[in-house]
Amino acid sequence: MIEKINIHLIKKAVDKAMACSSNSLEARDFIVNRSKYEAEILDWIIKGDYPPVIYHHKTIVSRDGKLRKLSMCPLRDRVVMHVILLLIKDKFLGRVSDDAYNCIPNRGINSSYKRGDPNAMIKRCMNEGHWGYLQLDIAKCYESTRADILERELRRFLATDDDQFIRLFITYSMCEIGLPIGTPLSPVNHHIMMFIIDDFIRQDLMIEGYVRYADDMILFGSKEQLHEAAHRIRNKLWYELGYKLKREAHPTPIRVPLDVLGYSYRPGVTLLRKRTKERMKKAWSKPLSRASYMGILTGCDSHNLLNKLNMNFSDIVNNDTRVTRRMDSPLDKIENVEGVFDILDFEVREPDKRNGKYWMRMQIRYKKDGQDVVRLIKGYQPAICQFLLNVDKEMRKRSMLASMPYEEVRRDMMPIVGAELENSNGWIFKGTINTLQ
């Protein structure tokens, strides 16, 4: 397979490796000298002199509170890993079990492709009438992976005698602590290790309901089937792959909730895991986090949870969220306005197609029982509308003559004090009608 490696494959691998680290100093240097480095990597691979990869390890706390030791390596080494992945991609996708779901194109939690969604598969199995389920979890599967066993499984999977390619594969797969967490090659290597287990569960044990997500295995069936499976899988993992299970596994009746993949599964209902709810409550106010958790919520029955997480309207009404509306005052009828008043603000709208009339509204202030009262008057009053339009024109004229902004002139002229209404063949302002002699 070494002979299939060429400069075009190296270029594709560089593009994939750069996708996750394009802003680092190492990546910027690589971009500047890309052609040179690509030729060096090709020459390096063909010659077959593969020194050990130097990893930098960093311990982090995962979302579920577990300590994870991430292993980071130089960009050049990640390019070689992607070269290997590109070489085996078609063969791997043709061999990997339909029951495995992590780190495989078009598969994953809440995938748009339903058959590739482990969440949907578990829901289906929970409702198919099985007696119960068996949940298995490998203890430190990456750390306990041995190079000699991985090499054996690689040779079985690839069916090749190309020792140079196998040596290249193993060199870039293993580190001093087993399979490194965080490299693009490790998930594929773990799938290759688990091929014989996936086949054993389906073909030898004849388990119909089976889902595997990384090292989490969930089997569904009768009580007798699951008891036999628990014993035989434990032995198969240890004697074939050198893996141990985390704890003694026993078949569990289907009525007992299944806690896996961040959800709690029951027949007919899927709820969110309690720890996930707590994290969600803390991060719900952040838009990016909320978008991420909304994807998680689509996989469960979350209507009640969403109602609790979303704020009540009264909780968000404060001075920062209040809005200010122009002329926001209690509405009153024009016939109820008596005496002299001040015009605090006004607006006249052009005639619409429906009725062909001008329409106005104005905010007024007057005295009532010794107190200032502010009210909003509106309606189709031709004479009032015409006068207010004339006032608006006068404001614009003064703005032009004084070279001042219109809004500034308007603020200086408002309020208009001493206005009074009368009903003379329609409502008018007193003193604003030119009478014919």
Side-chain angles (χ1 to χ4, degrees), residues 341-402:
F341 57 87
D342 303 332
I343 303 175
L344 303 179
D345 199 358
F346 68 87
E347 176 186 27
V348 181
R349 294 183 185 173
E350 296 288 334
D352 55 34
K353 293 180 180 180
R354 186 163 59 94
N355 51 42
K357 299 178 183 178
Y358 279 99
W359 178 89
M360 69 83 194
R361 64 173 180 164
M362 59 180 176
Q363 188 180 43
I364 65 173
R365 178 180 60 204
Y366 59 90
K367 293 284 186 182
K368 184 176 182 179
D369 299 328
Q371 301 290 327
D372 283 339
V373 177
V374 178
R375 292 291 183 265
L376 183 66
I377 306 298
K378 63 181 183 179
Y380 302 97
Q381 307 297 337
I384 292 177
C385 286
Q386 187 59 57
F387 177 77
L388 293 177
L389 282 174
N390 291 343
V391 173
D392 185 69
K393 289 178 183 178
E394 179 66 19
M395 290 179 176
R396 296 184 185 279
K397 179 180 176 182
R398 294 188 186 187
S399 170
M400 183 182 63
L401 293 175

Side-chain angles (χ1 to χ4, degrees), residues 56-72 181-182:
H56 170 64
H57 303 291
K58 179 182 178 181
T59 302
I60 65 168
V61 180
S62 64
R63 282 187 172 185
D64 55 6
K66 298 178 181 177
L67 293 177
R68 301 286 188 191
K69 184 177 283 188
L70 295 183
S71 301
M72 293 158 283
I181 298 176

Side-chain angles (χ1 to χ4, degrees), residues 92 94 123 135 138 164 181 247 250 337 346 380 384 394:
F92 172 76
K123 287 180 183 178
Q135 187 175 7
I138 299 173
Q164 184 180 346
I181 298 176
R247 54 188 177 274
H250 300 284
V337 180
F346 68 87
Y380 302 97
I384 292 177
E394 179 66 19

